[in-house]
Amino acid sequence: LFESFPAAYLNLKAGDRHIAETWHRLARNALSATNHYANCPLSANVMFSIFTSAYEMNSRHSVIQAHPGIGLKTLPEVLGARGYRTCHIHTGGLAYAGQNRFLAGRGYDRILEYNDLVRVPPYNRQVGWGLDERAMIQPAVDFMKGDPSRPFFVVLQPVNPHHPYEIPDDSFAVAGSPRGLDGKAAAWVKYQNSLHYADAVLGMLVERMEREGLMDNTLFILVADHGEAIYQ
């Protein structure tokens, strides 16, 4: 569940290199639905729509905040009732906008967020509004392998490329350095680097799953919560 990633940016390149290389690699064996629109610009609102297939309220309030226990079936509940083991991992804090209250009681066997992952090295340092996205990989793989007799449903929710578009180090600076640039130009460079970073971590997860034999019977659904305007 990618943050701030509109379809218009899917084909961004740094030279001859795609910014979102992993998305493009997976797309070679995928169905791509690029005319899908988020009807709200906030992750919490879109989480509600993704998991229930229902529209948000036409209001300044969100369903998650105003009615966290709303009687609509969510995807983890539906799959859990059919024998799936279910897990949700987020490198930020799910208390924001009441996401944790909405997810509670929704059929998840395990929910991990910032306060859980921050205790586990080596990727437990702050990057932007959350932790290093690589903190998700090991617990995700551990959960997937936990009971081979039952299928799994795992939601991975990275923080990046959320503003302020941070990366852990310059190895992810595929679009170069923002140093010396003005606000708009610097934000655009930082956004591309942050998007590449989140995509690269997805690639690390895929490679790890391939090594562990977890990709042979796994369906990936890659979706973004909403777009990002970058001063447009």
Side-chain angles (χ1 to χ4, degrees), residues 86-110:
T86 56
C87 177
H88 191 114
I89 305 177
H90 179 40
T91 46
L94 287 170
Y96 176 72
Q99 295 172 91
N100 55 353
R101 292 190 298 125
F102 173 73
L103 293 177
R106 295 294 177 177
Y108 276 115
D109 297 313
R110 194 171 192 197

Side-chain angles (χ1 to χ4, degrees), residues 121-136:
Y123 299 118
N124 56 335
R125 66 187 180 108
Q126 191 91 13
V127 180
W129 290 108
L131 297 173
D132 190 320
E133 310 293 12
R134 289 171 286 189
M136 294 187 293

Side-chain angles (χ1 to χ4, degrees), residues 109-187:
D109 297 313
R110 194 171 192 197
I111 297 176
L112 297 173
E113 55 153 4
Y114 182 99
N115 291 329
D116 305 297
L117 301 175
V118 74
R119 304 183 185 127
V120 184
Y123 299 118
N124 56 335
R125 66 187 180 108
Q126 191 91 13
V127 180
W129 290 108
L131 297 173
D132 190 320
E133 310 293 12
R134 289 171 286 189
M136 294 187 293
I137 295 176
Q138 188 61 51
V141 171
D142 288 344
F143 185 85
M144 293 174 194
K145 295 175 66 179
D147 182 359
S149 69
R150 296 172 60 202
F152 57 79
F153 171 69
V154 178
V155 176
L156 297 172
Q157 185 184 353
V159 169
N160 291 285
H162 193 292
H163 180 272
Y165 320 122
E166 298 296 338
I167 55 177
D169 58 66
D170 288 344
S171 68
F172 297 100
V174 68
S177 172
R179 297 183 188 92
L181 299 176
D182 63 23
K184 180 179 179 179

